[in-house]
């Protein structure tokens, strides 16, 4: 899966005119594929994403030995299994540890710290959800914040659900291994939870106990959510930018239902919940609290 930076570079490298392209790619092809992306994943692909779609899917055409996008659309129509590769190819997975770090300061003081104090000497239950977790940097950041703040972790029932529609990034997240230079994104006081792998100094491994808090699952946010129970914190950051207004509104309603009263919803810095958000109050920069 292309990370955002790679895909942008690839998009710029593309010849604009169809005649110069390796595969024939018509307006109808783009519109047809955009419709599948919307129907399957809620992802809205504006016209400006045409080159991006071309470059990301060209790899699929090569792998499948197809000569035109028309052929690829037919293949996608007739092979349900191809939908997974299609979604993996078109989703944008850019992420990093401690991205938009003030969210984690807030999580530490308002959720985890309060939980630790309220449950001192007894056992408590804490649930967080990273919805659109990509390759795992976001849920592992939540995990190390929890680990640092709660010294008697074994006493409690703490889980972080990490979901994404893209199976390729979920695989990377489950492995919990990252390039060594990812350490640059991690504040010094958290670096103890990320160590070079034995015999592979170019690989950074997430602390085993922190990893054990995170469960990765494939979940399409547009479908049913097959879990019960409410969350203390939901992170859905830099995901809703790919959705249109009505899809976003519906999703926010569903997140609100899934939050405990007093729980928090964190969204990306470039996102806003334009208009009314029944049941939620804005309590910080891109941080919402479910009203009691
Ligand atoms: C840019 S990443 C955001 C990662 C992380 N939340 C962050 O802010 O760093 C967006 C993620 O949303 C996922 N996504 C897009 N549409 C989705 C859907 N319908 N259901 C679940 N995940 C989706 C993509 O696969 C991608 O991994």
């Amino acid at each position: 899966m292309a990370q955002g930076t790679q895909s942008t570079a690839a998009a710029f490298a593309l010849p604009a005119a169809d005649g110069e392209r390796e595969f024939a790619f018509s307006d109808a092809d783009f519109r047809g594929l955009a419709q599948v992306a919307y129907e399957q994943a809620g992802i809205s692909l504006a016209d400006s994403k045409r080159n991006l779609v071309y470059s990301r899917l060209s790899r699929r055409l090569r792998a499948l030995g197809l000569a035109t996008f028309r052929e690829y659309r037919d293949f996608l129509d007739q092979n349900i299994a191809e939908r997974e590769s299609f979604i993996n190819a078109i989703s944008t997975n850019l992420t990093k540890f401690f991205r938009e770090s003030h969210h984690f300061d807030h999580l530490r003081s308002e959720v985890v710290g309060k939980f630790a104090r309220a449950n001192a000497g007894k056992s408590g239950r804490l649930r967080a959800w990273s919805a659109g977790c990509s390759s795992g940097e976001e849920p592992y950041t939540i995990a190390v914040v929890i680990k640092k703040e709660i010294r008697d972790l074994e006493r409690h029932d703490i889980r972080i659900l990490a979901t994404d529609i893209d199976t390729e990034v979920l695989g990377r997240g489950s492995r919990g291994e990252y390039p060594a230079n990812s350490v640059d994104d991690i504040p010094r006081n958290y670096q103890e939870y990320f160590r070079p792998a034995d015999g592979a100094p170019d690989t950074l491994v997430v602390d085993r106990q922190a990893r054990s808090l995170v469960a990765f699952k494939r979940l399409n946010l547009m479908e049913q959510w097959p879990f019960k129970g409410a969350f203390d914190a939901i992170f859905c950051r830099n995901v809703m930018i790919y959705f249109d207004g009505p899809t976003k509104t519906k999703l926010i309603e569903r997140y609100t239902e899934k939050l405990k009263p007093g729980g928090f919803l964190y969204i990306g810095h470039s996102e806003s919940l334009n208009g009314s958000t029944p049941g939620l109050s804005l309590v910080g920069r891109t941080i919402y609290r479910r009203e009691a």
Side-chain angles (χ1 to χ4, degrees):
M1 167 61 33
Q3 295 269 305
T5 44
Q6 293 164 335
S7 46
T8 306
F12 281 125
L14 271 174
D18 261 5
E20 300 165 41
R21 285 178 163 155
E22 182 182 356
F23 304 108
F25 183 52
S26 68
D27 285 355
D29 293 331
F30 175 72
R31 283 197 306 273
L33 292 168
Q35 192 179 340
V36 180
Y38 186 74
E39 285 167 5
Q40 297 301 316
I43 295 173
S44 290
L45 292 169
D47 271 358
S48 57
K49 295 288 191 293
R50 204 170 275 250
N51 282 351
L52 195 86
V53 167
Y54 177 90
S55 75
R56 290 185 180 181
L57 287 173
S58 290
R59 276 174 247 147
R60 287 303 301 149
L61 270 75
R62 269 179 227 117
L64 294 164
L66 301 174
T68 66
F69 271 80
R70 175 71 257 179
E71 283 177 30
Y72 180 69
R73 284 168 60 205
D74 291 341
F75 183 82
L76 185 59
D77 247 10
Q78 289 151 21
N79 296 275
I80 301 222
E82 177 60 19
R83 282 186 197 164
E84 180 176 327
S85 304
F86 170 72
I87 298 293
N88 288 359
I90 58 151
S91 58
T92 294
N93 310 114
L94 188 68
T95 186
K96 61 179 187 165
F97 291 110
F98 285 88
R99 184 180 194 181
E100 298 169 6
S101 66
H102 89 100
H103 284 156
F104 300 103
D105 297 336
H106 183 275
L107 178 78
R108 182 178 49 74
S109 64
E110 297 306 310
V111 180
V112 186
K114 286 187 176 166
F115 170 87
R117 283 191 294 283
N119 293 288
K122 54 181 182 171
S123 169
R125 183 179 186 277
L126 184 71
R127 291 288 182 270
W129 178 16
S130 166
C133 63
S134 188
S135 39
E137 287 86 338
E138 180 177 274
Y140 287 136
T141 302
I142 300 171
V144 296
V145 167
I146 291 174
K147 171 144 180 174
K148 197 170 185 65
E149 203 64 21
I150 303 179
R151 292 294 168 175
D152 55 348
L153 261 185
E154 344 29 65
R155 180 194 286 275
H156 303 288
D157 172 12
I158 300 178
R159 292 260 181 290
I160 301 156
L161 175 65
T163 65
D164 204 283
I165 195 171
D166 182 333
T167 49
E168 200 267 333
V169 287
L170 286 171
R172 279 198 261 151
S174 310
R175 285 193 290 282
E177 295 177 355
Y178 297 91
N181 64 2
S182 313
V183 78
D184 300 343
D185 302 325
I186 301 165
R188 290 180 85 82
N189 57 333
Y190 283 99
Q191 289 184 0
E192 62 183 291
Y193 303 119
F194 302 85
R195 295 271 175 221
D198 289 341
D202 289 348
T203 302
L204 202 66
V205 183
V206 183
D207 172 89
R208 183 134 46 100
Q209 194 181 25
R211 248 165 55 196
S212 72
L213 300 178
V214 183
F216 287 92
K217 301 247 180 302
R218 183 182 184 274
L219 179 73
N220 181 351
L221 290 167
M222 300 303 122
E223 295 176 355
Q224 292 293 311
W225 298 347
F227 37 79
K228 299 199 172 66
F231 293 92
D232 299 273
I234 298 177
F235 286 70
C236 183
R237 307 183 314 155
N238 309 300
V239 178
M240 291 184 286
I241 35 172
Y242 303 106
F243 302 154
D244 64 10
T247 306
K248 218 162 91 169
T249 303
K250 181 76 198 135
L251 205 49
I252 297 296
E253 272 173 32
R254 295 176 76 196
Y255 285 139
T256 307
E257 282 166 21
K258 277 282 163 204
L259 275 174
K260 284 184 191 165
F264 296 97
L265 172 67
Y266 301 87
I267 66 169
H269 281 186
S270 62
E271 299 169 304
S272 77
L273 302 190
N274 291 330
S276 74
T277 51
L280 291 178
S281 320
L282 185 64
V283 293
R285 190 169 164 218
T286 53
I287 305 173
Y288 293 79
R289 183 174 187 276
R290 170 146 183 204
E291 289 150 12

